[in-house]
Amino acid sequence: MGKNKPRKALDVGRKERNKAVKSAVQFVVLAMVLVLLVHAVAGIHRYREPDKAAWQQTRGFIALSYYGVDRTGTRGLIAKSRLDEQLQILRQNGYVTVSQQDILDFYEHGKPLPPRAVYLSFEDGRSDSALFAQPLLEKYNYKATMLSYADRLDVADPKFLAGPELLKLTRKGYWELGSNGYRLTYINIFDKDGRYVGTQTEQQFKNKDEARYYTHYLMDFIRDADKVPLENRREMETRINQDYRLMEQIYRDKLGFVPNVYMIMHANSLHNGMNPLVENVNSQNIERLFKMHFNREGQAFNDSGGDLYDLTRLQPSPGWYRNHLLMRIAGDTGESYDFYQGDKKRADHWQLLGGAAEFRGNRIILTSPESGKGLLYLKGSDGYQNVKVSLQIAGNIIGSQSVYLRYDRKADAYVKVVVEDNLLRVVQKEPGQTEEKTLISRDLGSLKGVSEQTAIGRKLEVAVAGSGLTLQVDGAAAAPEIQIASALAAGGLALEASASEEHSQDPVYDGVFDDVIVSEAGQSGTDEPPGKVLFSNGYTPLQKAVNGVKWTFDALVDWAVETF
């Protein structure tokens, strides 16, 4: 027998080593927490003013307004990581933030702006927006406006920044202040069944997506169930004037001044066909109290011929990937941009034929151009015949994601599996034909009450062998074997994404394809298992382990931020 090994409990050297490792880990964590704490309390960084003497651009600027920022993101608030990606792509494309005074000087005195100028704002005066956006503004040396509702400044609610906190926010130069108005209240509400609801506050009116009609408190006469005004002109003007008076009083009491910038709720109503009497009383108050007004939403670009009281901004959805934002800006400005590609090794397997594509681990994010199609073609797949494709489609329900098989680009012929607006279709287009032919169509669920930000999350397995196509959705057969045209004998594989023409007002769409695996398929009508893998975009075991470590570290940092 060999020498007896010391028992672990008596192995003093091992215990000392373990103790040293634990102490080192604790030291690193405490040091990280200390840095975060000092950063939050002392404000290490101060905004660095750009060299405005070098500015020569006179065309205009873009404006972006975020509802708010959350640690991991919600339906209404953008995740801090997603905001980071969007600010990063703006910075990489040369965007410099401009201040309120820069915009005033641009319109009133003809002073130029940086080559690419962006005005950033965050709405509602939320505490979490300040917490999570502040480090990013410091990271990119960006300036932003924190908007607020005046009635929230006078309420003890940790969700919103109070007057002293708003003022403190501006001290390091990264923030300016603006207003969304006095309060967020809705009038003339009709529910999804057409029943009159009347007036409700933001807290009461939770299901806006299901309401048939509503408008903001300042946007109309208060009306009855027959839409007849319940107030005369004088009463309407008194009510709206009172809102502006209360707003002015609170700002002067809590801040010492009324902010320069206003963003009315709801956007796109004022100066857009609303009742002229209501429009007039709003306009008089806005021009009396504010120096500029972002009245419209939906477009980012403001040109030199714009009106300081009718400016426009784009409100990025929390679900947009960075290329989605850049694609919308490109549509508004007409300029070309460097889209984010991500993992170059994975990207090299594909030829981009339309839109923009980001490769992120096991995920491919294919962003369509405005009112167009994003298209990715797998290199070397031209002669594919019998293949099986397995993937997870994870884009939003409202929109179109497709997988092309036997795609002959010269003849524009193919068989294609499409998931669009929660409808599954298999279509084919033979050489020489101008129209697609639908082979099957299956409803995957109702769209009633579904948000555009609801992800699909369905696994597709489609195989073509000989003249047959089989399709499974989430492990269940979607239909018996489908016969396809004999003329579609071979061709490539491609992925496609496009916005919904019927159910969305957003002309850009992010198709999301996870774990794309392409393998040889057995002959039609047999039980042969799949052959060799021709392409895989999934994670290897090592990559899964590395991502697990990274997730743990990120969670630790998040815990430190939230705890301290």
Side-chain angles (χ1 to χ4, degrees), residues 22-322:
K22 290 179 180 177
S23 297
V25 171
Q26 290 173 347
F27 176 79
V28 170
V29 172
L30 288 173
M32 181 176 63
V33 170
L34 181 62
V35 168
L36 291 169
L37 186 61
V38 171
H39 182 278
V41 174
I44 294 174
H45 301 287
R46 182 177 291 275
Y47 179 72
R48 303 180 304 280
E49 290 289 345
D51 179 13
K52 299 182 181 182
W55 292 2
Q56 297 182 355
Q57 186 262 124
T58 58
R59 184 169 174 246
F61 68 98
I62 66 168
L64 304 176
S65 181
Y66 292 89
Y67 293 109
V69 192
D70 181 73
R71 183 175 69 87
T72 56
T74 68
R75 180 176 168 183
L77 307 179
I78 191 170
K80 62 177 183 179
S81 59
R82 188 68 58 89
L83 177 62
D84 190 2
E85 293 169 359
Q86 293 187 4
L87 297 185
Q88 180 188 59
I89 200 69
L90 290 172
R91 181 66 178 270
Q92 289 175 350
N93 278 272
Y95 274 100
V96 174
T97 51
V98 291
S99 68
Q100 298 172 13
Q101 190 60 51
D102 292 330
I103 295 173
L104 290 171
D105 288 342
F106 175 68
Y107 284 110
E108 294 178 341
H109 306 294
K111 290 187 178 181
L113 298 172
R116 283 182 170 170
V118 55
Y119 176 77
L120 287 178
S121 60
F122 295 84
E123 298 185 21
D124 293 359
R126 298 177 59 93
S127 300
D128 45 10
S129 294
L131 173 66
F132 296 122
Q134 174 75 26
L136 301 180
L137 297 182
E138 295 177 3
K139 180 179 179 179
Y140 300 107
N141 194 48
Y142 272 2
K143 183 186 287 286
T145 290
M146 178 63 77
L147 301 155
S148 62
Y149 285 101
D151 72 332
R152 297 290 90 191
L153 272 64
D154 212 19
V155 176
D157 187 343
K159 180 180 175 181
F160 299 99
L161 295 164
E165 294 168 328
L166 285 169
L167 290 172
K168 184 177 180 180
L169 203 62
T170 66
R171 291 176 185 171
K172 300 298 179 181
Y174 293 99
W175 293 97
E176 299 180 287
L177 303 182
S179 177
N180 282 131
Y182 173 60
R183 58 175 167 165
L184 193 54
T185 299
Y186 303 91
I187 61 172
N188 304 334
I189 304 170
F190 288 84
D191 68 16
K192 61 183 178 181
D193 297 317
R195 292 188 294 263
Y196 177 72
V197 176
T199 299
Q200 289 189 345
T201 65
E202 172 72 6
Q203 291 73 27
Q204 295 170 323
F205 192 24
K206 298 294 185 182
N207 299 317
K208 299 180 186 63
D209 291 339
E210 296 186 11
R212 181 172 296 183
Y213 177 81
Y214 64 91
T215 190
H216 185 262
Y217 187 73
L218 299 176
M219 295 293 99
D220 198 1
F221 285 86
I222 294 177
R223 300 175 183 272
D224 63 17
D226 297 315
K227 300 183 180 180
V228 176
L230 291 170
E231 54 188 356
N232 58 35
R233 175 179 178 176
R234 182 183 58 78
E235 291 168 335
M236 175 273 295
E237 290 178 344
T238 298
R239 170 175 58 85
I240 292 178
N241 283 329
Q242 176 70 357
D243 249 40
Y244 284 100
R245 277 196 297 270
L246 288 170
M247 175 172 57
E248 179 182 12
Q249 179 181 337
I250 290 176
Y251 278 129
R252 295 199 186 281
D253 288 346
K254 300 298 180 180
L255 302 181
F257 62 93
V258 176
N260 286 334
V261 175
Y262 185 46
M263 291 191 186
I264 197 169
M265 298 293 148
H266 284 142
N268 305 323
S269 295
L270 201 63
H271 310 305
N272 192 28
M274 68 183 294
N275 184 285
L277 298 176
V278 179
E279 182 177 277
N280 184 60
V281 67
N282 275 283
S283 295
Q284 289 178 350
N285 279 285
I286 292 168
E287 293 183 24
R288 177 178 65 86
L289 289 171
F290 302 99
K291 294 183 178 179
M292 70 180 82
H293 178 205
F294 285 84
N295 177 53
R296 292 175 289 121
E297 190 280 326
Q299 289 187 323
F301 188 64
N302 294 274
D303 64 24
S304 58
D307 182 339
L308 272 171
Y309 289 99
D310 192 25
L311 299 173
T312 183
R313 85 277 194 189
L314 180 66
Q315 294 176 308
S317 167
W320 289 4
Y321 289 88
R322 69 190 93 191

